[in-house]
Amino acid sequence: MTDLAISTPAAYVTPQAMAFAGASGKAIYVSQNSPLPVTSNACPAVPLSGTTSANLIAGPYTPVIGRSAILTLSGDWSGMVQLSRSTDEGATRQPITLGGAPWALFSANCCEAVWDESDAAASLYLEITLTSGTLTYRLSQ
């Protein structure tokens, strides 16, 4: 072990050093040259938002990995809004399901977490089918 220059502000403070496992599995002490590896808390994606009184496929929305996507629907409207997912830039979209049953399918105003993405190639879409009224939508993180 190399000599670490750790100084204490008072005689009663016990010096401690932090280390993490390097690529070889050996301990690497945290220092200015070897900072603690952490996951970046990436900035949220630009929200997908708008207002419509007609049928619409809104998107794509590219979510940040590891953060919940929140859908807000508001207005005086009738119809259905289905969250769908694509990994081929929207050429094919699959409705979101849970255990084979429809998920993130709405016929009323809402504000809730609808999806957590783990695939960087994925994008989300809102498939809006209105029978009347005006819908305001926002998909964000």
Side-chain angles (χ1 to χ4, degrees):
M1 186 167 134
T2 61
D3 184 24
L4 298 175
I6 298 175
S7 60
T8 59
Y12 57 86
V13 175
T14 305
Q16 297 181 3
M18 182 181 286
F20 60 94
S24 66
K26 294 185 179 185
I28 298 174
Y29 290 101
V30 175
S31 69
Q32 188 172 4
N33 295 330
S34 300
L36 186 64
V38 295
T39 302
S40 171
N41 190 5
C43 295
V46 175
L48 172 66
S49 61
T51 300
T52 185
S53 55
N55 295 344
L56 174 70
I57 297 174
Y61 176 76
T62 305
V64 173
I65 302 298
R67 298 183 75 171
S68 296
I70 309 296
L71 177 62
T72 304
L73 301 176
S74 61
D76 186 12
W77 60 281
S78 295
M80 301 295 281
V81 177
Q82 171 72 61
L83 181 68
S84 61
R85 180 179 181 268
S86 176
T87 55
D88 60 7
E89 299 178 357
T92 55
R93 294 179 312 279
Q94 301 297 323
I96 301 293
T97 60
L98 179 64
W103 182 257
L105 175 64
F106 297 91
S107 60
N109 292 337
C110 69
C111 181
E112 62 185 83
V114 290
W115 192 248
D116 289 329
E117 188 54 64
S118 61
D119 184 345
S123 54
L124 302 175
Y125 295 81
L126 293 175
E127 301 191 19
I128 301 168
T129 306
L130 296 180
T131 55
S132 67
T134 301
L135 169 70
T136 298
Y137 59 89
R138 186 172 198 269
L139 186 59
S140 63
Q141 291 181 296

